[in-house]
Amino acid sequence: KEKGLKEWVAIKSDSGDHTKWGEVETMLNMAAERIKKMGGKVELADAGTHQLPSGETVLLPPVILAEFAKDPKKATLCIYGHVDVQPAKMEDGWATDPFNLTEIKGNLYGRGATDNKGPVLAWLHAVESYQATKKEIPVNIKLIIEGLEEVGSYGLFKLIKKRRDSFFADVDFIVISDNVWATTTPALTYGTRGSSYFFVEIEGPKLDLHSGVYGGSIQEPMADLIALLGSLLDHTGKIQVVGVSDDVTPLTEDERKLYDNISFDLEEMKNVVGVKHFLQDTKEEVLMARWRYPSLSIHGVEGAFSDPGSKTIIPRKVTGKFSIRQVPNMDPPDVERKVKEHLEQVFSTLNSPNRLKVTATVGAKPWVANLQDSQYVAGQKAVKDVFGVEPEFIREGSTIPIAQTFQEETGKSVMMLPISGHDDGEHSQNEKISRYNYIEGTKLFAAYFYELSLLH
Ligand SMILES: C[C@H](N)C(=O)N[C@@H](Cc1c[nH]cn1)C(=O)O
């Protein structure tokens, strides 16, 4: 029996913790086996090594480079996807086991169902639909599937450079389906934000200390950290790091007009996420804040007591984690330098005996496509073929770390063709893909192969 979405979701391929990368490899092997069974030629390409913030160097999981039979008369499409996932635990508030795909009222719940195992399988199902009906696939298909997207695609940047003149040489188009629609209308995505992820470590005493015995005599690492994290944002969401937003491209009238036709309903979105109001008042302002302006989010603190109940210690070492989503023309190394200077400056005002260490990872550039690109014509037609409507042209606030590298390094056209729903809850509790989006999405991909072949 073929291993479908249920078997894929059951693999806990959480890439966030490098000690669990064995599961990521298991998932990559399962995907590779499936592609081989479909007649694809598969290489598990060596992705090299990576240095962790701790200084330790680790071996990276491989990257799947695959291709189906090639006909030189046809255009070649390279599909990118990932099979790693974000962490998920029942205790986070899931209604069902995150690693046991469960169908409720037409929705398939499970970690990775929509980000990105479902869409990767939908691409394979689209190929299988041609094979099953004995129809020739109208384009040549290549696949690049990785297992570290959620942590910044370590190793992939170098691998793409290395394979630019081999694997990528005959590729005409690159397509990515790792995004969500903005509303219930199908969409084509023309931009994603970049990202830099920061670890702020404060190390104090040798051991965790009894707060009754030492409290009042120690400058607590947690208090330093809270002061640092609290200095990053104001209550309007404005980033307080000097100069960080200086390079944001100004909004043009043409770009502003693109927001008019998006059928985004502010009230519905408040209900979906469960907030009384957003930081902005209008639909356009909310979408721009999510898609075309930078943002800073504080994600968590490692080392702090976080179990239920109470414990009266002063943690000896705590690491705060936050990230900055970036937009054109922000440059991750420049942002990282400014953030480090900011944190060092604030820390110096605390007069603390503790040690501060700031590390940045991910360093992913933002990506914006050329909307005149012919892939968008094929995408638009395929959406019309399957859904009978015009797609919305949207941007997305999240990050595909490799998107800009694909464009810059290979010089090929890149498009994003999402099939995930606006309420699928990527990275959240109860992540899902609807049966409708999964099946119609598969049809969309099959139609897209056809429409793309007409461009050639
Ligand atoms: C868009 C994709 N589904 C996704 O969620 N990507 C991650 C990539 C990332 C960025 N920083 C660290 N990982 C995301 O946008 O969070």
Side-chain angles (χ1 to χ4, degrees):
K1 182 178 160 289
E2 280 310 336
K3 303 244 186 318
L5 190 54
K6 196 169 177 76
E7 285 82 5
W8 280 34
V9 164
I11 311 280
K12 296 179 177 152
S13 50
D14 160 14
S15 55
D17 176 353
H18 75 278
T19 62
K20 299 183 187 147
W21 284 355
E23 290 288 289
V24 170
E25 286 210 45
T26 303
M27 186 60 244
L28 286 163
N29 288 330
M30 190 182 273
E33 281 313 306
R34 184 177 184 120
I35 298 165
K36 277 186 208 161
K37 277 196 187 149
M38 292 166 62
K41 201 169 90 198
V42 178
E43 177 192 351
L44 284 164
D46 181 7
T49 57
H50 177 73
Q51 194 177 37
L52 300 169
S54 65
E56 187 190 347
T57 298
V58 288
L59 255 181
L60 295 170
V63 173
I64 295 178
L65 297 178
E67 57 189 306
F68 291 93
K70 182 170 168 63
D71 175 347
K73 292 192 288 302
K74 294 179 189 168
T76 299
L77 173 68
C78 177
I79 299 162
Y80 162 85
H82 68 93
V83 288
D84 60 317
V85 296
Q86 288 274 314
K89 292 196 286 262
M90 250 341 242
E91 310 87 271
D92 295 339
W94 282 70
T96 58
D97 176 354
F99 296 101
N100 180 17
L101 191 77
T102 307
E103 180 165 5
I104 304 172
K105 294 187 181 156
N107 288 318
L108 306 166
Y109 291 91
R111 175 58 89 227
T114 207
D115 182 8
N116 180 234
K117 292 177 178 180
V120 169
L121 268 169
W123 284 116
L124 300 185
H125 294 320
V127 170
E128 283 165 343
S129 71
Y130 279 90
Q131 294 175 335
T133 51
K134 303 212 173 343
K135 293 216 160 61
E136 221 179 282
I137 305 173
V139 287
N140 299 317
I141 304 283
K142 286 194 162 184
L143 295 159
I144 171 159
I145 300 175
E146 65 154 325
L148 294 181
E149 190 269 356
E150 296 292 2
V151 287
S153 299
Y154 306 144
L156 196 54
F157 301 87
K158 274 195 193 150
L159 185 69
I160 289 170
K161 276 190 190 168
K162 227 161 102 184
R163 301 300 179 97
R164 192 185 56 189
D165 300 325
S166 47
F167 184 81
F168 289 101
D170 61 354
V171 169
D172 299 294
F173 307 103
I174 297 173
V175 71
I176 302 174
S177 185
D178 186 16
N179 309 88
V180 293
W181 299 344
T183 67
T184 50
T185 307
L188 300 179
T189 309
Y190 65 90
T192 50
R193 292 195 288 188
S195 172
S196 291
Y197 198 102
F198 296 91
F199 295 85
V200 191
E201 183 185 288
I202 307 284
E203 190 169 4
K206 257 169 52 184
L207 300 164
D208 288 353
L209 299 173
H210 189 307
S211 66
V213 178
Y214 291 100
S217 69
I218 297 279
Q219 179 135 349
E220 303 196 7
M222 193 68 166
D224 285 351
L225 182 63
I226 287 169
L228 292 176
L229 296 179
S231 75
L232 295 168
L233 269 182
D234 73 9
H235 69 284
T236 68
K238 188 165 182 300
I239 302 173
Q240 298 298 295
V241 178
V242 175
V244 125
S245 305
D246 286 356
D247 296 326
V248 175
T249 48
L251 180 71
T252 63
E253 189 48 26
D254 280 350
E255 188 194 342
R256 201 203 55 75
K257 281 191 196 136
L258 287 168
Y259 288 80
D260 289 344
N261 299 329
I262 296 170
S263 58
F264 179 80
D265 181 337
L266 213 45
E267 290 311 308
E268 192 206 340
M269 197 44 64
K270 283 183 205 166
N271 286 333
V272 168
V273 294
V275 294
K276 285 202 188 113
H277 60 82
F278 289 106
L279 289 171
Q280 299 75 24
D281 296 322
T282 66
K283 157 189 119 174
E284 289 80 1
E285 286 168 339
V286 169
L287 288 177
M288 285 188 209
R290 287 172 45 185
W291 296 350
R292 68 102 54 223
Y293 289 114
S295 64
L296 186 151
S297 302
I298 299 169
H299 305 295
V301 178
E302 189 176 325
F305 174 64
S306 64
D307 292 339
S310 57
K311 184 180 182 189
T312 52
I313 50 125
I314 301 168
R316 64 166 289 273
K317 183 168 115 180
V318 283
T319 307
K321 299 172 188 186
F322 68 93
S323 67
I324 299 185
R325 299 286 174 171
Q326 298 170 39
V327 297
N329 292 322
M330 292 167 81
D331 178 39
D334 179 57
V335 167
E336 289 161 17
R337 184 180 51 77
K338 285 173 176 155
V339 167
K340 282 182 184 168
E341 280 170 11
H342 169 89
L343 291 170
E344 277 155 16
Q345 191 275 324
V346 174
F347 189 65
S348 71
T349 66
L350 303 178
N351 206 13
S352 176
N354 299 326
R355 188 181 60 78
L356 165 73
K357 185 176 155 202
V358 183
T359 322
T361 67
V362 183
K365 290 181 186 171
W367 165 81
V368 181
N370 172 8
L371 275 177
Q372 309 315 319
D373 190 325
S374 58
Q375 266 210 92
Y376 282 88
V377 175
Q380 201 169 353
K381 285 189 178 157
V383 168
K384 199 88 196 283
D385 295 342
V386 174
F387 295 96
V389 296
E390 289 294 336
E392 290 184 331
F393 285 87
I394 63 169
R395 280 168 78 160
E396 160 128 358
S398 61
T399 306
I400 312 276
I402 210 63
Q404 183 61 20
T405 301
F406 273 143
Q407 207 157 280
E408 272 174 19
E409 209 42 61
T410 67
K412 314 287 175 179
S413 127
V414 178
M415 184 180 78
M416 297 199 191
L417 183 60
I419 61 166
S420 297
H422 72 290
D423 57 352
D424 276 2
E426 290 177 299
H427 297 199
S428 186
Q429 295 91 348
N430 305 321
E431 175 183 347
K432 56 103 176 149
I433 188 165
S434 70
R435 193 174 262 282
Y436 173 81
N437 280 53
Y438 192 30
I439 294 172
E440 298 309 298
T442 300
K443 291 183 197 168
L444 175 66
F445 293 162
Y448 176 65
F449 296 159
Y450 170 72
E451 295 294 354
L452 199 61
S453 73
L454 300 184
L455 296 178
H456 205 53

